[in-house]
Amino acid sequence: MTTEAANGAAALEFRDVSYRVGGNLILDNLNLRIESGRTLVLLGRSGSGKTTALKMLNGLLFPSGGKVLVEARSTTDWDLIELRRSIGYVIQEVGLFPHFTIGENIGLVPRLKGWPPDRIAARVAELLDQVGLASAQFLGRYPRQLSGGQRQRVGVARALAAEPKLLLFDEPFGALDPVTRVELQDQFLSLRDRFKKTSIFVTHDVREALRLGTEIALLHRGKLEVLATPDDFVKSNGPEARAFLSTL
Amino acid sequence: MIPPYLLQEMAQETGEHIFLVLIAMAIAAAIGLPLGVLLTRRAALRTPLLGFANVMQTIPSLALFGFLIPIPFIGGIGKRTAIVALVLYALLPILRNTLAGILGVEGAVRESAIAMGMTGRQLLWEVELPLAAPTILAGLRIATVTTIGTATIAAAIGAGGLGVFIFRGIASVDTTQILAGAIPAALLALLSDGGFSWIERRVSVP
């Protein structure tokens, strides 16, 4: 199933993408277009291929067949370093650098891109405040001194730091307690509405998908089952969609 | 009391001992650290190279010194042969700990570094090596301490060092001579162990 956007150029596109590991077909002829400024949620069970699809967008994985296009250019044609520095990436395990302070963690991509130090410092302070952490208090701390929720806030700030054109989230709030989880979802929504960045968000939680997505793509065994807005998704009739909706 | 003539000789042999250990460790580190990093990138080389270093460790040290004597260029009697043998012994802990330290870096941290656009070199120098540093240092520490001990046997092939007293003491059944070699060697080992432990504390994540 594909959506053909009226005429706007897609920010991202999966074109006949398959991915094979050994004899297993992880992604099976995936076709998807994501318009600029939208939030697409990739929903599915474990092993449905959603994380695999996500990792193709920043060149951590490459399709066995078909093409993944970022700004109309195949990821195989991008300078990978340049591509990755223009994409924010947030994962469930957060992956902060334990030997860097919070300030150094957030300022990493700007530093890699060669921003001057005063601009980095200003940006880091601004971001910490935006994700709800007092910058004076947290700047010099190390990741292990923070709670799980605080760490993931830093993870989000780090992804936003170098003003990326695209944000990728891989079950970022999956390891958090339910209250913190909702707080961070709210944060995500307010950042989404403020910056209108194209975002791809992987989750297995249908509630989270309905809350955060402008579109929901349901993957099942590497195939796209449903692509719909949240309002239409709740009316889906397919067995996999109903299985997910029954968890509500 | 220690007789003055012995004290002077002890100072000289201690100096030679330290020289042997420093040269051997410098060479072993210069080979072992880059090779260990290479092994993290080339899994196929791990078994053969670690196997070689393992075999070297299993050869009794006296036998290894003996084996090396007839080999041209690296062999013969004297310091050069001793240093080659000491390097071969020191290699395994350095290699193994460099490999283990880097492979032990959390997957999510490595993936983040790559996904954020670090080059291979930046990943190594800014993430992998700093995080592996305590493990790598532990390898250097083990290698140094054992090399200080093994270097006493180098005296058997005329390389000098504190082993001179030990072999002489055994031959002449003279406990004073044995202690004149053994005590400074033990002190050197303790000292370097303490030094490494201090450095390890300095480099570990706060």
Side-chain angles (χ1 to χ4, degrees), chain A residues 78 162 179 196 239 242:
Chain A
W78 272 91
V179 180
K196 306 250 183 290
R242 276 215 309 275

Side-chain angles (χ1 to χ4, degrees), chain A residues 6 21 24 39 46 50 58 64 81 89 101 114 121 130 139 143 153 155 171 177 180 207 236 244-245:
Chain A
V21 178
N24 293 331
T39 298
S46 305
K50 53 196 195 303
N58 59 356
S64 319
I81 301 298
Y89 187 57
T101 62
Q130 274 172 8
L139 215 51
R153 286 174 196 269
E171 300 193 28
D177 65 78
T180 308
R207 205 180 298 263
S236 309
F244 267 96
L245 289 167

Side-chain angles (χ1 to χ4, degrees), chain A residues 18-62:
Chain A
S18 62
Y19 187 72
R20 218 171 259 108
V21 178
N24 293 331
L25 200 53
I26 311 292
L27 285 178
D28 186 358
N29 200 32
L30 179 66
N31 282 287
L32 254 181
R33 289 163 61 97
I34 300 116
E35 303 303 312
S36 187
R38 313 291 287 174
T39 298
L40 176 88
V41 173
L42 291 171
L43 178 67
R45 308 176 189 223
S46 305
S48 60
K50 53 196 195 303
T51 294
T52 303
L54 188 82
K55 285 183 176 178
M56 286 183 174
L57 292 168
N58 59 356
L60 293 178
L61 296 174
F62 294 94

Side-chain angles (χ1 to χ4, degrees), chain A residues 116-155:
Chain A
D118 50 342
R119 187 176 164 207
I120 297 176
R123 178 71 178 145
V124 168
E126 177 194 356
L127 280 162
L128 271 173
D129 293 334
Q130 274 172 8
V131 297
L133 298 172
S135 60
Q137 196 186 340
F138 284 94
L139 215 51
R141 292 206 193 166
Y142 284 88
R144 72 164 56 151
Q145 299 170 305
L146 272 58
S147 70
Q150 290 170 335
R151 276 203 283 267
Q152 196 53 288
R153 286 174 196 269
V154 174

Side-chain angles (χ1 to χ4, degrees), chain B residues 55-195:
Chain B
V55 168
M56 286 302 126
Q57 290 262 308
T58 62
I59 301 175
S61 39
L62 197 53
L64 184 59
F65 285 112
F67 285 148
L68 288 173
I69 291 175
I71 298 177
F73 303 115
I74 57 167
I77 296 284
K79 287 202 165 35
R80 195 178 44 195
T81 313
I83 287 169
V84 172
L86 293 177
V87 167
L88 288 174
Y89 273 113
L91 224 43
L92 181 66
I94 297 176
L95 265 183
R96 201 167 41 195
N97 279 43
T98 305
L99 182 66
I102 291 179
L103 294 184
V105 172
E106 208 188 319
V109 170
R110 191 192 312 271
E111 188 184 287
S112 290
I114 294 169
M116 291 169 77
M118 278 198 179
T119 61
R121 193 172 293 240
Q122 287 164 339
L123 174 67
L124 179 67
W125 288 98
E126 294 198 33
V127 178
E128 291 180 319
L129 287 178
L131 290 175
T135 313
I136 294 174
L137 275 168
L140 289 170
R141 178 180 180 174
I142 296 164
T144 306
V145 172
T146 53
T147 300
I148 290 170
T150 313
T152 55
I153 298 168
I157 54 164
L162 291 163
V164 167
F165 299 109
I166 298 174
F167 282 106
R168 194 194 294 157
I170 292 169
S172 57
V173 201
D174 181 346
T175 316
T176 312
Q177 290 279 337
I178 295 179
L179 291 177
I183 292 173
L187 287 178
L188 277 183
L190 284 172
L191 213 64
S192 68
D193 194 53

Side-chain angles (χ1 to χ4, degrees), chain A residues 197-223:
Chain A
K197 299 241 190 243
T198 312
S199 306
I200 314 294
F201 196 108
V202 164
T203 185
H204 54 231
D205 177 354
V206 69
R207 205 180 298 263
E208 187 167 71
L210 291 170
R211 194 147 185 250
L212 302 183
T214 57
E215 274 92 21
I216 296 173
L218 177 66
L219 293 179
H220 184 48
R221 293 185 182 154
K223 285 189 173 158

